[in-house]
Amino acid sequence: RNYFIPFVLVTHVVMSAYWWSGYPYDNVCENGAGEYSYCAQNFWSEGIFPPLPRFQPEGTTWMTESQELLTSLYAWSSVVVVFIASAAFIQNAIIPKIRAIYKSTYEPDGADQRINFSSVMHLDEIHAFIPQVRVKGVSFPMLTCDISAIDEDLLGWRDQIRGYDVHNLIHDVYAITRSKPLHPIFSIVKQFDPNVSSYLSASQPNSPAYSLNPMPELN
């Protein structure tokens, strides 16, 4: 929408100038002595822009006076429109991308509703970004992080029968290696509740985000 409609308008104005300049499209010109000969009336294929009447081949003309007037108006209008469209494109598309390389371009949208996330996170439509992988044919996603330090409502789904551990890949690692890794190998997910003065910190080696529990047996 931001580019298609302006592109169509520019194309319409430019091509209208070419259409007026090429009429009557028969490639036949009068040389002034009552003789007619072939001439190229297609300024577009000749690469001429803007298609002004003065670019007609020397000694041969095909435009009438009224046609020359309309062609000139459309040709100069196309120049103005192309210039404005190019300037707008550079201003709105090119410059912001260049500026974003060395300067933040984020601008907040909307007003602060004064609603804390912690007060609405238990609603069904409120979910957090939790690293997980969906596998075709499996009812629930496979978790790729430790969720012991976050509220389970943030996941957006719940296995009422088996819980979350059987869907968490961190337990598969422990079952395979039978040892606790020295450094975290999965994503670290933390939750900081503003209503609680103390919280679990994943920056400590003994934090749940670093601990791996044996994979529960499936019956």
Side-chain angles (χ1 to χ4, degrees):
R1 182 181 61 182
N2 294 334
Y3 299 103
F4 178 75
I5 294 179
F7 174 78
V8 170
L9 293 176
V10 172
T11 302
H12 169 72
V13 175
V14 172
M15 295 310 299
S16 294
Y18 283 106
W19 290 331
W20 276 106
S21 67
Y23 183 83
Y25 319 112
D26 55 7
N27 292 329
V28 177
C29 299
E30 184 180 1
N31 59 11
E35 298 177 354
Y36 294 88
S37 61
Y38 170 82
C39 62
Q41 297 174 346
N42 191 344
F43 284 162
W44 173 266
S45 62
E46 297 294 327
I48 298 175
F49 180 81
L52 293 169
R54 68 168 179 259
F55 294 130
Q56 297 177 93
E58 186 177 356
T60 57
T61 59
W62 68 85
M63 297 187 192
T64 63
E65 292 184 3
S66 60
Q67 182 180 356
E68 289 183 354
L69 176 60
L70 285 173
T71 300
S72 297
L73 291 175
Y74 271 98
W76 287 117
S77 297
S78 65
V79 172
V80 174
V81 170
V82 169
F83 175 79
I84 294 175
S86 301
F89 178 76
I90 294 174
Q91 177 67 27
N92 298 322
I94 304 299
I95 294 180
K97 292 185 181 299
I98 297 176
R99 185 183 296 122
I101 298 176
Y102 58 88
K103 182 180 179 181
S104 175
T105 58
Y106 170 77
E107 294 182 2
D109 184 15
D112 186 357
Q113 301 298 311
R114 303 295 180 182
I115 300 176
N116 294 329
F117 177 79
S118 58
S119 63
V120 297
M121 68 179 183
H122 297 289
L123 299 178
D124 291 338
E125 62 270 18
I126 304 297
H127 306 146
F129 174 76
I130 306 298
Q132 51 191 315
V133 179
R134 294 192 176 275
V135 180
K136 186 177 181 180
V138 179
S139 300
F140 297 99
M142 306 302 295
L143 297 169
T144 58
C145 62
D146 191 301
I147 62 171
S148 60
I150 66 172
D151 194 301
E152 294 177 349
D153 287 342
L154 297 177
L155 273 70
W157 57 273
R158 184 184 300 275
D159 188 342
Q160 299 288 357
I161 299 177
R162 298 185 298 174
Y164 294 103
D165 286 348
V166 296
H167 305 290
N168 202 323
L169 297 180
I170 66 173
H171 303 301
D172 294 345
V173 173
Y174 183 86
I176 294 174
T177 62
R178 291 299 175 181
S179 62
K180 184 169 69 174
L182 299 178
H183 303 285
I185 58 176
F186 288 95
S187 299
I188 299 175
V189 181
K190 298 183 292 184
Q191 175 186 354
F192 304 100
D193 193 340
N195 299 319
V196 180
S197 58
S198 61
Y199 54 82
L200 294 174
S201 173
S203 61
Q204 300 297 325
N206 295 327
S207 170
Y210 281 79
S211 62
L212 297 177
N213 299 319
M215 179 179 176
E217 297 181 359
L218 301 179
N219 298 324

